[in-house]
Amino acid sequence: MSISKDDILQQLQRRILTMELEPGQPLDEVRLSEEFNVSRTPMRDILRRLAGEGYVQIRDQRGTVVAPMDPKSMRNFFLTAPMIYAATSRLAAQLATAAQIDDLAAIQKRFKEAVEDEAVDALVYFNDRFHFTIGEMADNPFLAPSLQRLLIDHARIGQTFWNVGSDGPSGAVREASRHHDRFLEIFAAHDEEAAVALTLEHWELSRTNIESYIRPTPLSVDIDLAV
């Protein structure tokens, strides 16, 4: 059964967002061509598209690797994310059409199903699609590339945010879902100020959980034993 280039692209995007393909991991063009049963020419085109969107890097003489995450990129992520997210949401509130809001609602339905199914990979993916679609609603060629790059790292940095414990999805995950529902209402009302306010609240929910993972409480050390 043949598979389209767009389907292959989406599968690789999803693997990168969910960390099935880890930051910095080499991608073998030949192996991928064999896996998806396509020739190397279309696979090379797909990798170029992924590079253009920020998912991978194509390095001269060293092949293709999944976009890495390093301290500098982490700093830039936390520095610029709220500004770019807020600007995107403001424009989306201005410009959203009924059809686009319907598309966003359909994605939110899938996100809610993932919450109830406790499907972490689906949570990561449909959260990314939700915010990517807000970017499409904003329809700004200057913001779009920055937003897309942010969303890639946000999905990867925030993996633990979506982890499901023995008692089911966390309160933060359910609160994020409620935020999504409110976004739909705000965009339908074209309320720009409410869109910005909710975006910053949504970012803070995510940021707090990400930082608690990146900067955990240190393990206690017995000084006498450590010397």
Side-chain angles (χ1 to χ4, degrees):
M1 180 178 176
S2 62
I3 182 171
S4 72
K5 288 168 68 173
D6 283 343
D7 286 341
I8 296 171
L9 180 78
Q10 289 174 12
Q11 285 195 40
L12 291 174
Q13 287 172 335
R14 186 163 184 160
R15 291 182 191 182
I16 291 168
L17 292 173
T18 60
M19 301 279 276
E20 182 180 340
L21 294 172
E22 297 182 352
Q25 180 175 333
L27 297 178
D28 187 323
E29 182 183 302
V30 174
R31 188 191 65 76
L32 289 171
S33 297
E34 292 173 350
E35 177 185 348
F36 291 107
N37 195 29
V38 296
S39 68
R40 293 182 64 179
T41 298
M43 182 53 65
R44 194 172 297 122
D45 290 341
I46 290 166
L47 292 175
R48 286 179 182 143
R49 285 180 63 184
L50 288 170
E53 294 172 1
Y55 288 89
V56 305
Q57 293 179 356
I58 299 175
R59 299 172 172 175
D60 292 340
Q61 309 302 322
R62 290 187 290 172
T64 302
V65 299
V66 176
M69 293 194 297
D70 54 34
K72 183 178 180 180
S73 66
M74 295 301 95
R75 182 180 187 279
N76 287 332
F77 170 81
F78 282 103
L79 186 66
T80 59
M83 174 181 63
I84 292 170
Y85 287 150
T88 300
S89 292
R90 180 183 291 279
L91 285 174
Q94 283 182 19
L95 302 172
T97 66
Q100 288 174 324
I101 293 170
D102 286 345
D103 289 343
L104 196 64
I107 295 170
Q108 171 62 353
K109 182 175 183 292
R110 299 291 299 275
F111 180 82
K112 284 182 169 180
E113 290 170 353
V115 172
E116 297 310 315
D117 292 342
E118 302 180 5
V120 175
D121 284 358
L123 282 169
V124 172
Y125 182 72
F126 288 113
N127 181 69
D128 175 82
R129 292 298 89 188
F130 187 90
H131 292 285
F132 179 82
T133 301
I134 292 174
E136 290 184 324
M137 292 160 64
D139 192 26
N140 186 290
F142 296 98
L143 278 175
S146 297
L147 175 69
Q148 187 163 43
R149 188 66 185 87
L150 275 175
L151 289 175
I152 293 168
D153 278 353
H154 199 152
R156 298 189 296 176
I157 297 168
Q159 285 288 314
T160 55
F161 179 87
W162 306 110
N163 282 348
V164 176
S166 58
D167 56 349
S170 70
V173 170
R174 295 193 181 279
E175 181 66 12
S177 184
R178 288 190 287 271
H179 283 183
H180 287 186
D181 287 335
R182 286 171 57 195
F183 273 121
L184 288 165
E185 296 169 359
I186 287 168
F187 291 144
H190 299 286
D191 188 335
E192 297 174 35
E193 298 306 321
V196 171
L198 180 57
T199 297
L200 296 178
E201 183 181 347
H202 196 59
W203 161 250
E204 190 63 23
L205 177 69
S206 181
R207 183 193 64 79
T208 300
N209 282 272
I210 291 171
E211 286 190 351
S212 69
Y213 174 70
I214 293 174
R215 298 189 303 175
T217 302
L219 297 174
S220 61
V221 177
D222 187 315
I223 300 299
D224 292 334
L225 292 176
V227 174

